[in-house]
Amino acid sequence: MQYPIGIQDFASIIKGGLVYVDKTALVYDLSKTKGVYFLSRPRRFGKSLLVSTFKYYFEGRRDLFKGLKIDALEKDWNCYPVFEMDFNDSNYLEAGALEDTINYYLTKWEERYGVEPASSQAGRRFADVLHRAHEKTGKPCVVLVDEYDKPMLDVLDTGRKATADGNEQLLEDRNRDVLKAFYSVFKLADADLRFVFLTGVTRFAQVSVFSGFNNARDISMNPKYDTICGISKDELDSDFASSMAVLASTLELPVDEVRRQFQQKYDGYHFSTGMTDIYNPFSLLNAFSDGDLKDYWFASGTPSYLIRLLNHSDENIQDIIGRTYEAVEFADYRATVEAPVPMIYQSGYLTIKGYNREDDEYKLDFPNHEVASGFLAILASGYFHTQRPSNWATKMKKALHHGKPEAFRSLLNDFLASIPYSVRQGNGEKSHERQFQYSVYLIMRLIGSCRDTVYREKASSHGRADCVIETPKYVYIFEYKLDRPAAEAMQQIHDRGYAEPYAHDSREVYAIACSFSSETGTISDWEVSRE
């Protein structure tokens, strides 16, 4: 098989005989109703390919769709004037870059349809082009906008400024206003439009940019379109069965084990209450192509806007993933320094992991191990002021895999001793305790791998253990104390039966009581009991 890595043009994939997961039934379903539609998905999830598929479909290119699901559904294959905009190819850190991009597209379209600009306003110019195209072709127009939000994300929280009409304003506000005025065309040109489709990573601008037009339909959390981007489990089993067998042979592992590691590493995205499991297509295709299981998606680039936002936030990740949310809290509004959750979720670093229908509440967590390990490594680098906390985590992981809790203690203590004093400064006992809990949480989550499971506050019949790490051969039950004897923590493990769920487990089980010193920032007392 040949895999379309980095190829986002539908025609190139089909003509080149590359692997294509057939999404055309959903394309047909969505395109049947006139309207303005918006889809939010993380980067490298196939949004651009989807836009390209719409383009060729509305251009009537039936030859490209032979044998696909839409070929049996569509009977007319009408050709519409299509206007495609891709904001992903430019950098918007400089004032005027967005206006230049919009002007480039408008000038090209005006030349194509013989329109003399009658206004300097971009929205009005676009409306005139759409009207002329409708008149000349006799068909209403299709508008496709890919990565609509990039002009704002590039400058989000950078403090960069622009001057317009003699007034200075933040560049992110300027770009938002320019796009809002431009997108108002969808209201002005409603009679000339057949279908409008916009994609982006974030929906935070919906309350401002999209207010320029009415009746936009957001399908991002519609269960019907869960699989319109990404690869579902059924698609993995049907379209990549031979690829999975080849990969298993290359890795010298059973197919079922490769499938399990695939699931832990690349699966786990949920985009609605339907809770349909979606695999990251970029990582999956790269894994098949390379014959290896690496962190492809995360390594392809972490958005700088997200790092800027988190650097200014007072929230830490263990608090964010340890609670439930109403949809409005993470899906519908712009993230701020005080509330970064919407941006983290919409960017794909968190996903829906549970839904309570009765209370209409969602639980968020990392989608899979690839995202968790990469994201936590970045957070840890900033929090601990060290470039490679993952190096320490790798050594500690090896100690746990070989059943050496004392070696683990030594490594953990060395790591804690390396943390600058400024990181653990705080006012009062609760502040110190919170900092130690977060430090240990980051370390423990970094230790996790595809073969391990790390639980925070795992419940038993009588309480919750602070941390449980399950490896293929060993189980470690941790209880922490701050400035208290480790014996108290060990007594708590035994009194509350934290080890009882593993009574019939074939793995060796260790109870570990760990006491931290707020004065030294290291382990002051430690007890290990083999259960």
Side-chain angles (χ1 to χ4, degrees):
M1 281 189 177
Q2 290 184 300
Y3 304 98
I5 298 171
I7 301 176
Q8 301 168 344
D9 180 65
F10 175 76
S12 297
I13 292 174
I14 298 302
K15 291 180 178 179
L18 307 179
V19 174
Y20 175 70
V21 178
D22 192 350
K23 306 289 185 179
T24 59
L26 291 173
V27 167
Y28 176 81
D29 178 87
L30 188 59
S31 65
K32 288 299 97 180
T33 305
K34 172 182 175 177
V36 179
Y37 296 89
F38 171 67
L39 175 71
S40 167
R41 286 294 184 269
R43 62 186 175 83
R44 297 188 179 274
F45 241 82
K47 299 189 298 296
S48 297
L49 175 58
L50 179 62
V51 168
S52 176
T53 308
F54 274 118
K55 171 182 178 290
Y56 290 109
Y57 166 64
F58 278 112
E59 288 179 344
R61 292 290 305 276
R62 184 175 187 175
D63 58 302
L64 295 174
F65 294 88
K66 290 291 185 181
L68 298 178
K69 294 175 182 177
I70 201 170
D71 190 29
L73 297 170
E74 182 59 79
K75 306 302 180 184
D76 299 327
W77 290 97
N78 290 315
C79 180
Y80 298 90
V82 176
F83 297 84
E84 183 183 13
M85 300 185 73
D86 183 1
F87 284 109
N88 200 40
D89 292 334
S90 298
N91 187 316
Y92 301 97
L93 289 172
E94 299 299 327
L98 173 58
E99 291 90 328
D100 289 344
T101 297
I102 293 175
N103 186 63
Y104 163 77
Y105 282 109
L106 290 176
T107 300
K108 180 175 67 172
W109 295 332
E110 286 165 344
E111 292 175 354
R112 179 188 303 170
Y113 290 100
V115 177
E116 283 292 332
S119 171
S120 61
Q121 296 179 356
R124 173 54 64 184
R125 289 173 62 190
F126 195 16
D128 290 343
V129 169
L130 294 171
H131 183 66
R132 178 66 62 86
H134 191 182
E135 282 185 331
K136 290 188 69 172
T137 65
K139 297 287 186 181
C141 302
V142 172
V143 178
L144 307 172
V145 182
D146 196 18
E147 304 292 1
Y148 89 100
D149 51 350
K150 189 173 185 294
M152 291 168 291
L153 294 180
D154 278 359
V155 294
L156 178 65
D157 203 34
T158 63
R160 289 175 177 258
K161 296 183 178 181
T163 301
D165 301 324
N167 298 316
E168 188 178 63
Q169 64 181 147
L170 288 173
L171 189 51
E172 62 180 282
D173 293 335
R174 171 62 182 170
N175 286 356
R176 182 197 62 220
D177 292 344
V178 169
L179 287 176
K180 179 179 178 180
F182 180 69
Y183 291 141
S184 66
V185 69
F186 302 138
K187 184 187 297 184
L188 295 172
D190 183 67
D192 297 309
L193 291 171
R194 162 67 176 82
F195 182 81
V196 178
F197 187 68
L198 303 96
T199 77
V201 172
T202 64
R203 285 182 282 175
F204 73 89
Q206 193 171 337
V207 295
S208 53
V209 170
F210 285 5
S211 63
F213 55 90
N214 297 325
N215 303 321
R217 183 182 174 193
D218 186 352
I219 64 170
S220 304
M221 293 184 68
N222 186 330
K224 186 176 184 179
Y225 301 108
D226 276 349
T227 63
I228 200 167
C229 286
I231 297 173
S232 69
K233 180 182 181 300
D234 289 342
E235 290 167 337
L236 177 64
D237 292 339
S238 62
D239 293 14
F240 296 97
S242 61
S243 299
M244 189 70 76
V246 170
L247 181 60
S249 176
T250 300
L251 298 177
E252 299 182 347
L253 292 171
V255 172
D256 286 346
E257 174 60 19
V258 174
R259 186 178 289 109
R260 186 190 72 82
Q261 291 193 29
F262 249 59
Q263 184 175 18
Q264 288 192 348
K265 201 168 184 69
Y266 306 135
D267 190 13
Y269 290 91
H270 305 118
F271 297 113
S272 77
T273 58
M275 299 297 289
T276 304
D277 279 326
I278 302 296
Y279 284 80
N280 185 315
F282 182 78
S283 291
L284 187 145
L285 293 176
N286 272 280
F288 285 138
S289 179
D290 287 357
D292 203 352
L293 301 175
K294 297 179 181 178
D295 293 342
Y296 295 101
W297 182 78
F298 200 92
S300 67
T302 301
S304 56
Y305 64 82
L306 190 59
I307 301 303
R308 291 194 299 268
L309 192 67
L310 289 169
N311 284 341
H312 297 161
S313 174
D314 292 330
E315 290 198 74
N316 62 53
I317 199 67
Q318 69 172 345
D319 295 328
I320 288 174
I321 67 173
R323 49 175 288 236
T324 57
Y325 299 84
E326 295 180 0
V328 70
E329 294 182 84
F330 70 90
D332 295 336
Y333 291 103
R334 170 181 171 175
T336 65
V337 170
E338 293 76 22
V341 172
M343 193 72 74
I344 302 174
Y345 165 77
Q346 293 163 24
S347 298
Y349 296 91
L350 294 177
T351 195
I352 299 168
K353 285 297 184 180
Y355 176 64
N356 182 329
R357 191 170 297 278
E358 181 178 355
D359 297 325
D360 193 26
E361 290 182 335
Y362 298 79
K363 180 182 178 182
L364 303 183
D365 204 337
F366 299 113
N368 50 48
H369 180 264
E370 176 187 17
V371 174
S373 61
F375 191 69
L376 288 167
I378 287 179
L379 290 181
S381 294
Y383 185 76
F384 296 129
H385 301 291
T386 177
Q387 292 299 311
R388 298 300 300 269
S390 57
N391 288 346
W392 293 88
T394 299
K395 294 177 182 178
M396 286 187 268
K397 185 192 312 181
K398 288 181 179 179
L400 295 181
H401 277 200
H402 290 86
K404 299 179 178 179
E406 292 300 332
F408 175 83
R409 173 195 177 176
S410 178
L411 289 164
L412 176 59
N413 211 34
D414 288 346
F415 181 74
L416 292 172
S418 73
I419 299 173
Y421 174 75
S422 59
V423 174
R424 53 187 179 84
Q425 288 184 37
N427 297 317
E429 182 178 342
K430 285 190 175 181
S431 177
H432 283 298
E433 187 170 2
R434 177 179 172 81
Q435 288 167 353
F436 275 111
Q437 286 176 344
Y438 189 47
S439 297
V440 174
Y441 169 79
L442 287 175
I443 293 168
M444 294 305 188
R445 286 300 297 254
L446 283 169
I447 288 172
S449 70
C450 286
R451 295 185 295 161
D452 309 327
T453 305
V454 179
Y455 299 97
R456 173 178 173 256
E457 295 188 350
K458 185 176 183 182
S460 65
S461 57
H462 303 294
R464 296 175 180 272
D466 283 334
C467 179
V468 175
I469 300 179
E470 297 180 358
T471 74
K473 295 182 179 180
Y474 303 93
V475 175
Y476 300 90
I477 302 168
F478 291 87
E479 188 65 27
Y480 312 127
K481 295 296 179 183
L482 181 66
D483 297 327
R484 305 288 295 277
E488 289 186 15
M490 185 62 73
Q491 190 66 43
Q492 183 173 325
I493 293 174
H494 292 149
D495 289 348
R496 299 188 182 181
Y498 293 158
E500 288 179 5
Y502 300 97
H504 302 289
D505 199 298
S506 61
R507 292 171 292 186
E508 293 186 30
V509 179
Y510 288 95
I512 298 178
C514 182
S515 178
F516 299 103
S517 167
S518 59
E519 181 177 349
T520 65
T522 57
I523 299 171
S524 59
D525 199 8
W526 173 276
E527 288 189 11
V528 177
S529 172
R530 186 172 175 179
E531 300 299 294

